Amino acid sequence: MLPKRTLMGPGPSDVSREVLEAMSQPTIGHLDPAFVGFMDELNELLRLAFQTKNPITLPISAPGSAGMECCFVNLLEPGDEVVIAVNGVFGGRMVEVARRCGATPIAVEFDWGTPVEPDKMEDALKAHPDAVAMAFVHSETSTGARSDAEILCALAKKYDCLSIVDAVTSLGGIELRVDDWGIDAIYSGSQKCLSAPPGLSPVSFGEQAMAKLKQRSTPPQSWFLDMNLLTGYWGGGAKRAYHHTAPVNALYALHAALEILKREGVENAWKRHADNHQLLRAELESIGLDFIVAEEYRLPQLNSVSIPDGIDDAEVRSHLLNEFNLEIGAGLGPLAGKIWRIGLMGASSTPEHVALCVSALKSAGVSR
Ligand SMILES: *Cc1c(COP(=O)(O)O)cnc(C)c1O
């Protein structure tokens, strides 16, 4: 038996009883006529979450990193230049993924904890007029910084580049409007602000992205992530063709999690995340913890604070886990040992979570 934890790290977040129960429905075949209607409904719920009408909106049968690979491997051909913003771990991962597609990534670096600066991205786009795409992370979960996706996507358009957006931690947590902001390709994950179990990556491709895919001179290197083949299964209606065995129970869970989001209202969910962040912020500041990200760029769902001098990172996190069954996140890369990342994602964004976390930190000796 595994312990029951309260999840306040960078994902996964708490999964509700309702979602777990949906997951335990009987497994049926992935081509069962009864499953076809379910799949259409799931894709419609994803369109609501993404705020898009894109017909090509579906979950990849693998975690967020597979959504990232899916966007790059379909939209980039060997030799293509792609301008990528790097302001944390996940921008760095994009560069590596693009390189492995045979593309030429042009990395534009920013200090960790700061947002992607549009001016610097524009300089890179001007310097690389042949670039076919521009990619960035909307919510950098490694630092807690939010970038302005609307401005960055408008910039990509101005320079005739497709925009590829990492919204793994954004979806369901902060404002995100795929159609209004002109996002060409976007991917997310099931286990962050949607609060479904890990293992699925919702993606959405717009018209321009699908046009680029159709114009390719070589098929995408990945058979599994080839969007042309995936749409034969997901978009095939009654004629849908076997591609791979979809993880049906995981899809039940995602469907239930999206129903919860729909019931709450997407904008209400954004507001709840913002409100609980303000609660947590006041409490953390009262015990002497400082945020590493400037106020206007902070993510409400991922709160990064500096570990005060004289406090042992690992000791505090073990105390929280052992005494409170509470998980918070450690720092990654250059921020390891320097920060904690406190997630208020999806079902983990409640006043009760805030109260538990603060009393656990106090119990571990974190106080002014
Ligand atoms: C979690 C995360 C990923 C990777 O998702 P996995 O499900 O761990 O593969 C990618 N980008 C961001 C911003 C993330 O927070």
Side-chain angles (χ1 to χ4, degrees), residues 10 63-65 68 90 93 137 139-141 166 168-169 187 191-192:
S65 304
M68 184 190 289
F90 296 103
R93 188 173 295 183
V137 178
S139 296
E140 223 338 318
T141 322
D166 177 318
V168 175
T169 290
Y187 60 92
Q191 79 276 27
K192 309 226 177 174

PDB file of all heavy atoms in Angstrom, residues 10 63-65 68 90 93 137 139-141 166 168-169 187 191-192, ligand 1:
ATOM      1  N   PRO A  10       5.178  20.578  -8.137  1.00  0.00           N
ATOM      2  CA  PRO A  10       5.023  21.048  -9.518  1.00  0.00           C
ATOM      3  C   PRO A  10       4.196  20.092 -10.383  1.00  0.00           C
ATOM      4  O   PRO A  10       4.256  20.139 -11.602  1.00  0.00           O
ATOM      5  CB  PRO A  10       6.468  21.111 -10.010  1.00  0.00           C
ATOM      6  CG  PRO A  10       7.187  20.068  -9.209  1.00  0.00           C
ATOM      7  CD  PRO A  10       6.526  20.031  -7.868  1.00  0.00           C
ATOM      8  N   PRO A  63       2.833  11.425 -21.350  1.00  0.00           N
ATOM      9  CA  PRO A  63       2.846  12.669 -20.579  1.00  0.00           C
ATOM     10  C   PRO A  63       3.252  13.903 -21.373  1.00  0.00           C
ATOM     11  O   PRO A  63       3.507  13.825 -22.580  1.00  0.00           O
ATOM     12  CB  PRO A  63       3.867  12.374 -19.475  1.00  0.00           C
ATOM     13  CG  PRO A  63       4.718  11.294 -20.001  1.00  0.00           C
ATOM     14  CD  PRO A  63       3.862  10.486 -20.910  1.00  0.00           C
ATOM     15  N   GLY A  64       3.303  15.031 -20.680  1.00  0.00           N
ATOM     16  CA  GLY A  64       3.531  16.330 -21.315  1.00  0.00           C
ATOM     17  C   GLY A  64       4.716  16.380 -22.258  1.00  0.00           C
ATOM     18  O   GLY A  64       4.648  17.006 -23.327  1.00  0.00           O
ATOM     19  N   SER A  65       5.792  15.712 -21.901  1.00  0.00           N
ATOM     20  CA  SER A  65       6.987  15.736 -22.765  1.00  0.00           C
ATOM     21  C   SER A  65       6.685  15.153 -24.141  1.00  0.00           C
ATOM     22  O   SER A  65       7.299  15.540 -25.141  1.00  0.00           O
ATOM     23  CB  SER A  65       8.119  14.942 -22.112  1.00  0.00           C
ATOM     24  OG  SER A  65       8.383  15.451 -20.831  1.00  0.00           O
ATOM     25  N   MET A  68       5.186  17.803 -26.208  1.00  0.00           N
ATOM     26  CA  MET A  68       6.271  18.648 -26.718  1.00  0.00           C
ATOM     27  C   MET A  68       6.877  17.999 -27.968  1.00  0.00           C
ATOM     28  O   MET A  68       6.979  18.626 -29.029  1.00  0.00           O
ATOM     29  CB  MET A  68       7.332  18.812 -25.629  1.00  0.00           C
ATOM     30  CG  MET A  68       8.473  19.733 -25.981  1.00  0.00           C
ATOM     31  SD  MET A  68       9.862  19.668 -24.779  1.00  0.00           S
ATOM     32  CE  MET A  68       9.207  20.468 -23.333  1.00  0.00           C
ATOM     33  N   PHE A  90      12.267  23.759 -18.952  1.00  0.00           N
ATOM     34  CA  PHE A  90      11.460  23.230 -20.047  1.00  0.00           C
ATOM     35  C   PHE A  90      11.769  23.881 -21.396  1.00  0.00           C
ATOM     36  O   PHE A  90      11.655  23.229 -22.432  1.00  0.00           O
ATOM     37  CB  PHE A  90       9.977  23.263 -19.675  1.00  0.00           C
ATOM     38  CG  PHE A  90       9.714  22.339 -18.508  1.00  0.00           C
ATOM     39  CD1 PHE A  90       9.532  22.831 -17.226  1.00  0.00           C
ATOM     40  CD2 PHE A  90       9.754  20.963 -18.683  1.00  0.00           C
ATOM     41  CE1 PHE A  90       9.348  21.973 -16.137  1.00  0.00           C
ATOM     42  CE2 PHE A  90       9.583  20.100 -17.611  1.00  0.00           C
ATOM     43  CZ  PHE A  90       9.376  20.605 -16.335  1.00  0.00           C
ATOM     44  N   ARG A  93      14.590  21.886 -22.508  1.00  0.00           N
ATOM     45  CA  ARG A  93      14.159  20.593 -23.054  1.00  0.00           C
ATOM     46  C   ARG A  93      13.686  20.755 -24.504  1.00  0.00           C
ATOM     47  O   ARG A  93      13.944  19.916 -25.355  1.00  0.00           O
ATOM     48  CB  ARG A  93      13.036  20.009 -22.184  1.00  0.00           C
ATOM     49  CG  ARG A  93      12.656  18.591 -22.558  1.00  0.00           C
ATOM     50  CD  ARG A  93      11.662  17.979 -21.581  1.00  0.00           C
ATOM     51  NE  ARG A  93      12.229  17.826 -20.250  1.00  0.00           N
ATOM     52  CZ  ARG A  93      11.607  17.255 -19.206  1.00  0.00           C
ATOM     53  NH1 ARG A  93      10.379  16.771 -19.360  1.00  0.00           N
ATOM     54  NH2 ARG A  93      12.183  17.169 -18.038  1.00  0.00           N
ATOM     55  N   VAL A 137       7.797  28.618 -23.434  1.00  0.00           N
ATOM     56  CA  VAL A 137       7.005  28.024 -22.354  1.00  0.00           C
ATOM     57  C   VAL A 137       6.159  29.133 -21.732  1.00  0.00           C
ATOM     58  O   VAL A 137       6.703  30.152 -21.287  1.00  0.00           O
ATOM     59  CB  VAL A 137       7.934  27.390 -21.299  1.00  0.00           C
ATOM     60  CG1 VAL A 137       7.116  26.811 -20.148  1.00  0.00           C
ATOM     61  CG2 VAL A 137       8.809  26.314 -21.938  1.00  0.00           C
ATOM     62  N   SER A 139       4.062  28.900 -18.978  1.00  0.00           N
ATOM     63  CA  SER A 139       4.237  28.845 -17.519  1.00  0.00           C
ATOM     64  C   SER A 139       5.472  28.006 -17.224  1.00  0.00           C
ATOM     65  O   SER A 139       5.414  26.778 -17.341  1.00  0.00           O
ATOM     66  CB  SER A 139       3.024  28.176 -16.854  1.00  0.00           C
ATOM     67  OG  SER A 139       1.858  28.941 -17.051  1.00  0.00           O
ATOM     68  N   GLU A 140       6.586  28.659 -16.890  1.00  0.00           N
ATOM     69  CA  GLU A 140       7.831  27.909 -16.620  1.00  0.00           C
ATOM     70  C   GLU A 140       7.740  27.329 -15.205  1.00  0.00           C
ATOM     71  O   GLU A 140       7.961  28.016 -14.209  1.00  0.00           O
ATOM     72  CB  GLU A 140       9.035  28.833 -16.755  1.00  0.00           C
ATOM     73  CG  GLU A 140      10.272  28.346 -17.472  1.00  0.00           C
ATOM     74  CD  GLU A 140      10.580  26.870 -17.642  1.00  0.00           C
ATOM     75  OE1 GLU A 140      10.399  26.096 -16.685  1.00  0.00           O
ATOM     76  OE2 GLU A 140      11.053  26.488 -18.728  1.00  0.00           O
ATOM     77  N   THR A 141       7.442  26.064 -15.127  1.00  0.00           N
ATOM     78  CA  THR A 141       7.217  25.400 -13.846  1.00  0.00           C
ATOM     79  C   THR A 141       8.503  25.261 -13.028  1.00  0.00           C
ATOM     80  O   THR A 141       8.455  25.073 -11.817  1.00  0.00           O
ATOM     81  CB  THR A 141       6.614  24.001 -14.092  1.00  0.00           C
ATOM     82  OG1 THR A 141       5.703  24.109 -15.186  1.00  0.00           O
ATOM     83  CG2 THR A 141       5.857  23.503 -12.884  1.00  0.00           C
ATOM     84  N   ASP A 166       4.241  25.797 -24.944  1.00  0.00           N
ATOM     85  CA  ASP A 166       4.145  24.837 -23.838  1.00  0.00           C
ATOM     86  C   ASP A 166       3.157  25.407 -22.825  1.00  0.00           C
ATOM     87  O   ASP A 166       3.408  26.450 -22.218  1.00  0.00           O
ATOM     88  CB  ASP A 166       5.528  24.651 -23.194  1.00  0.00           C
ATOM     89  CG  ASP A 166       5.504  23.712 -21.989  1.00  0.00           C
ATOM     90  OD1 ASP A 166       4.561  23.797 -21.169  1.00  0.00           O
ATOM     91  OD2 ASP A 166       6.453  22.907 -21.832  1.00  0.00           O
ATOM     92  N   VAL A 168       1.792  23.262 -20.436  1.00  0.00           N
ATOM     93  CA  VAL A 168       1.603  22.100 -19.557  1.00  0.00           C
ATOM     94  C   VAL A 168       1.040  22.548 -18.210  1.00  0.00           C
ATOM     95  O   VAL A 168       0.066  21.980 -17.710  1.00  0.00           O
ATOM     96  CB  VAL A 168       2.910  21.290 -19.407  1.00  0.00           C
ATOM     97  CG1 VAL A 168       2.730  20.158 -18.405  1.00  0.00           C
ATOM     98  CG2 VAL A 168       3.333  20.706 -20.755  1.00  0.00           C
ATOM     99  N   THR A 169       1.634  23.586 -17.638  1.00  0.00           N
ATOM    100  CA  THR A 169       1.175  24.049 -16.326  1.00  0.00           C
ATOM    101  C   THR A 169       0.105  25.146 -16.432  1.00  0.00           C
ATOM    102  O   THR A 169      -0.515  25.511 -15.453  1.00  0.00           O
ATOM    103  CB  THR A 169       2.399  24.506 -15.495  1.00  0.00           C
ATOM    104  OG1 THR A 169       3.155  23.334 -15.163  1.00  0.00           O
ATOM    105  CG2 THR A 169       2.037  25.197 -14.209  1.00  0.00           C
ATOM    106  N   TYR A 187       0.624  22.346 -26.424  1.00  0.00           N
ATOM    107  CA  TYR A 187       0.507  21.060 -25.727  1.00  0.00           C
ATOM    108  C   TYR A 187       0.412  21.305 -24.239  1.00  0.00           C
ATOM    109  O   TYR A 187       0.858  22.326 -23.712  1.00  0.00           O
ATOM    110  CB  TYR A 187       1.699  20.152 -26.047  1.00  0.00           C
ATOM    111  CG  TYR A 187       3.042  20.719 -25.650  1.00  0.00           C
ATOM    112  CD1 TYR A 187       3.606  20.455 -24.400  1.00  0.00           C
ATOM    113  CD2 TYR A 187       3.750  21.535 -26.537  1.00  0.00           C
ATOM    114  CE1 TYR A 187       4.840  20.986 -24.042  1.00  0.00           C
ATOM    115  CE2 TYR A 187       4.981  22.056 -26.179  1.00  0.00           C
ATOM    116  CZ  TYR A 187       5.525  21.785 -24.933  1.00  0.00           C
ATOM    117  OH  TYR A 187       6.738  22.323 -24.586  1.00  0.00           O
ATOM    118  N   GLN A 191      -1.770  16.200 -15.544  1.00  0.00           N
ATOM    119  CA  GLN A 191      -1.539  16.101 -14.100  1.00  0.00           C
ATOM    120  C   GLN A 191      -1.253  17.414 -13.397  1.00  0.00           C
ATOM    121  O   GLN A 191      -0.880  17.407 -12.243  1.00  0.00           O
ATOM    122  CB  GLN A 191      -0.385  15.132 -13.848  1.00  0.00           C
ATOM    123  CG  GLN A 191       1.016  15.701 -14.076  1.00  0.00           C
ATOM    124  CD  GLN A 191       1.507  15.671 -15.514  1.00  0.00           C
ATOM    125  OE1 GLN A 191       0.702  15.694 -16.433  1.00  0.00           O
ATOM    126  NE2 GLN A 191       2.803  15.643 -15.719  1.00  0.00           N
ATOM    127  N   LYS A 192      -1.385  18.526 -14.100  1.00  0.00           N
ATOM    128  CA  LYS A 192      -1.079  19.800 -13.436  1.00  0.00           C
ATOM    129  C   LYS A 192      -2.404  20.459 -13.051  1.00  0.00           C
ATOM    130  O   LYS A 192      -3.099  19.931 -12.199  1.00  0.00           O
ATOM    131  CB  LYS A 192      -0.128  20.607 -14.297  1.00  0.00           C
ATOM    132  CG  LYS A 192       1.083  19.710 -14.678  1.00  0.00           C
ATOM    133  CD  LYS A 192       2.439  20.276 -14.557  1.00  0.00           C
ATOM    134  CE  LYS A 192       3.467  19.199 -14.913  1.00  0.00           C
ATOM    135  NZ  LYS A 192       4.834  19.643 -14.963  1.00  0.00           N
TER     136      LYS A 192
HETATM  137  C1  LIG B   1       5.610  19.139 -16.238  1.00  0.00           C
HETATM  138  C2  LIG B   1       6.030  19.948 -17.407  1.00  0.00           C
HETATM  139  C3  LIG B   1       6.453  19.372 -18.615  1.00  0.00           C
HETATM  140  C4  LIG B   1       6.662  17.901 -18.788  1.00  0.00           C
HETATM  141  O1  LIG B   1       5.550  17.164 -18.547  1.00  0.00           O
HETATM  142  P1  LIG B   1       5.696  15.598 -18.176  1.00  0.00           P
HETATM  143  O2  LIG B   1       4.280  15.188 -17.982  1.00  0.00           O
HETATM  144  O3  LIG B   1       6.530  15.541 -16.932  1.00  0.00           O
HETATM  145  O4  LIG B   1       6.356  14.930 -19.313  1.00  0.00           O
HETATM  146  C5  LIG B   1       6.737  20.198 -19.677  1.00  0.00           C
HETATM  147  N1  LIG B   1       6.641  21.544 -19.572  1.00  0.00           N
HETATM  148  C6  LIG B   1       6.265  22.135 -18.424  1.00  0.00           C
HETATM  149  C7  LIG B   1       6.161  23.617 -18.359  1.00  0.00           C
HETATM  150  C8  LIG B   1       5.954  21.359 -17.315  1.00  0.00           C
HETATM  151  O5  LIG B   1       5.585  21.951 -16.171  1.00  0.00           O
END
